[in-house]
Amino acid sequence: MSKNTGKSSSAAPNGPSINEDDERDPTSSVALTLPSFVAGSGTLDRLVDTAQDYARAAASDNTLKAYGKDWAHFARWCRMTGVDPLPPSPEMIGLYLADLASGSSPSPSPSASRPLSVSTIERRLSGLAWNYAQRGFVLDRSNRHIASVLAGIKRKHARPPMQKEAILAEDILAMVATLGFDLRGLRDRAILLLGYAGGLRRSEIVSLDVHKDDTPDSGGWIEILDKGALLTLTGKTGWREVEIGRGSSDLTCPVRALKQWLYFAKIDFGPVFVGTSRDGKRALEARLNDKHVARLIKRTVLDAGIRAELPEKDRLAMFSGHSLRAGLASSAEVDESYVQKQLGHASAEMTRRYQRRRDRFRVNLTKAAGL
């Protein structure tokens, strides 16, 4: 691999100047500008701002935050090794990937702690490609210095994906039973039951508004009908509708829990799930962060005594926001296509990854083949 020995004060040909500002997070200001031959005006400047807002909306906030961290890590690595992050050097990126996989850099390299998983390395590479694009460069991931190193990493270090534990029907019943009936308890009960019955991502839960177009950052809205609640959501696979029917018990019905929360919290506009005052008696205006859903799941898993035979640290690591989606996929004994539609998966294979206890040998090809 060829060497890139440029210092941080050099300039990239036909690109921006290189300095420590290259560690800045481009997600905070997407670099969209007018062409050099067009004179600015109030109208065009406002359109540039509007285009930047649309560009930032092209990916979720969590994805943008991850990409920002990816770039900051790579920029620090470049500074530690005495090279420039710009323009993209396939040779140096190949070395960076090798470092991530082996954890071989001497201290104080930021990657010296431990080798990263293949999935994390692939995510880092995607983050670099996105960040380079924001700076006007193209990262050729098919270049042999990148592609061959990544292929070798996959061959040597790839492992089956680590899946979070599914929250099954008996688990969710025990979890909601630990919650009180004050305002905070009503909200958290609605979050757990709605997330479980809808197979929702935690970001989808907190992005819901009461009505369509209530807020600019809305990820969907709800309609409460006679037979259940209809959720219209936007996510990784585009817009979809999620039908949540009424439950067989008032205590565990997700639709009733949602209606109770909205009624007692006096919410008729804007975000469905918001924070509460310290005394738990008053709903606030600010939308909940999706991290609240993950913390809620972990806390109620512990309070309900789920997998109590294991140490607390292991139990906390086993469950996450995805445990709700996996729980629905594993517990709903219906045709697989209905589960796939509810989860918003593009393929049945993806849905099967969420099914922790499906009947794997319902079709016996061994006997069917005459053995």
Side-chain angles (χ1 to χ4, degrees), residues 57 60-61 203-222 231-235 239 269-273 287:
S60 70
D61 288 341
S203 60
E204 293 173 337
I205 297 173
V206 300
S207 72
L208 285 169
D209 277 2
V210 178
H211 310 104
K212 181 181 180 181
D213 298 329
D214 274 359
T215 63
D217 61 341
S218 170
W221 64 93
I222 61 173
L231 278 54
T232 305
L233 298 165
T234 180
W239 286 97
F269 182 85
V272 171
F273 295 112
R287 187 187 303 274

Side-chain angles (χ1 to χ4, degrees), residues 316-336:
L316 289 173
M318 290 171 65
F319 295 93
S320 73
H322 261 56
S323 295
L324 294 178
R325 287 168 64 78
L328 176 73
S330 303
S331 300
E333 297 181 357
V334 296
D335 187 275
E336 190 177 78

Side-chain angles (χ1 to χ4, degrees), residues 159-182:
R159 298 287 185 275
M162 296 294 292
Q163 294 182 318
K164 293 297 183 179
E165 193 83 1
I167 291 174
L168 304 178
E170 58 269 24
D171 299 328
I172 198 71
L173 295 179
M175 290 164 65
V176 298
T178 67
L179 299 171
F181 288 90
D182 60 353

Side-chain angles (χ1 to χ4, degrees), residues 21-277:
D21 287 342
D22 291 318
E23 289 190 28
R24 67 189 182 279
D25 180 1
T27 63
S28 62
S29 180
V30 179
L32 297 178
T33 60
L34 289 172
S36 58
F37 55 84
V38 175
S41 67
T43 300
L44 290 177
D45 290 341
R46 286 192 296 271
L47 284 176
V48 168
D49 293 338
T50 302
Q52 289 177 337
D53 290 338
Y54 282 128
R56 280 189 289 269
S60 70
D61 288 341
N62 287 340
T63 298
L64 293 179
K65 288 177 184 178
Y67 285 171
K69 291 179 180 178
D70 292 338
W71 181 259
H73 186 278
F74 177 64
R76 286 196 302 270
W77 183 89
C78 288
R79 192 173 68 250
M80 297 295 297
T81 52
V83 300
D84 291 332
L86 299 174
S89 165
E91 296 90 340
M92 292 309 301
I93 292 175
L95 294 179
Y96 175 65
L97 299 182
D99 190 5
L100 296 179
S102 63
S104 58
S105 286
S107 182
S109 169
S111 59
S113 55
R114 60 182 178 82
L116 298 184
S117 67
V118 172
S119 60
T120 301
I121 292 172
E122 289 184 306
R123 208 289 314 286
R124 287 274 176 92
L125 184 57
S126 296
L128 293 186
W130 186 91
N131 278 279
Y132 275 123
Q134 306 315 302
R135 291 168 168 82
F137 296 98
V138 176
L139 176 59
D140 182 9
R141 297 175 58 167
S142 64
N143 182 285
R144 62 186 179 90
H145 294 288
I146 297 175
S148 60
V149 171
L150 184 60
I153 291 172
K154 289 181 179 180
R155 184 176 179 86
K156 188 172 183 179
H157 298 296
R159 298 287 185 275
M162 296 294 292
Q163 294 182 318
K164 293 297 183 179
E165 193 83 1
I167 291 174
L168 304 178
E170 58 269 24
D171 299 328
I172 198 71
L173 295 179
M175 290 164 65
V176 298
T178 67
L179 299 171
F181 288 90
D182 60 353
L183 204 56
R184 188 176 294 122
L186 292 177
R187 179 199 64 193
D188 290 346
R189 181 177 286 100
I191 286 175
L192 289 178
L193 291 175
L194 202 71
Y196 181 80
L200 305 179
R201 300 176 179 88
R202 64 186 194 183
S203 60
E204 293 173 337
I205 297 173
V206 300
S207 72
L208 285 169
D209 277 2
V210 178
H211 310 104
K212 181 181 180 181
D213 298 329
D214 274 359
T215 63
D217 61 341
S218 170
W221 64 93
I222 61 173
E223 296 176 77
I224 298 179
L225 309 172
D226 290 341
K227 293 185 177 181
L230 179 64
L231 278 54
T232 305
L233 298 165
T234 180
K236 293 182 177 180
T237 56
W239 286 97
R240 77 181 196 278
E241 290 185 343
V242 174
E243 300 171 3
I244 299 181
R246 296 182 181 272
S248 56
S249 167
D250 284 347
L251 290 177
T252 59
C253 173
V255 181
R256 184 174 187 272
L258 176 63
K259 290 181 65 176
Q260 280 191 317
W261 156 247
L262 293 175
Y263 176 79
F264 287 104
K266 301 178 181 178
I267 295 175
D268 56 10
F269 182 85
V272 171
F273 295 112
V274 297
T276 60
S277 58

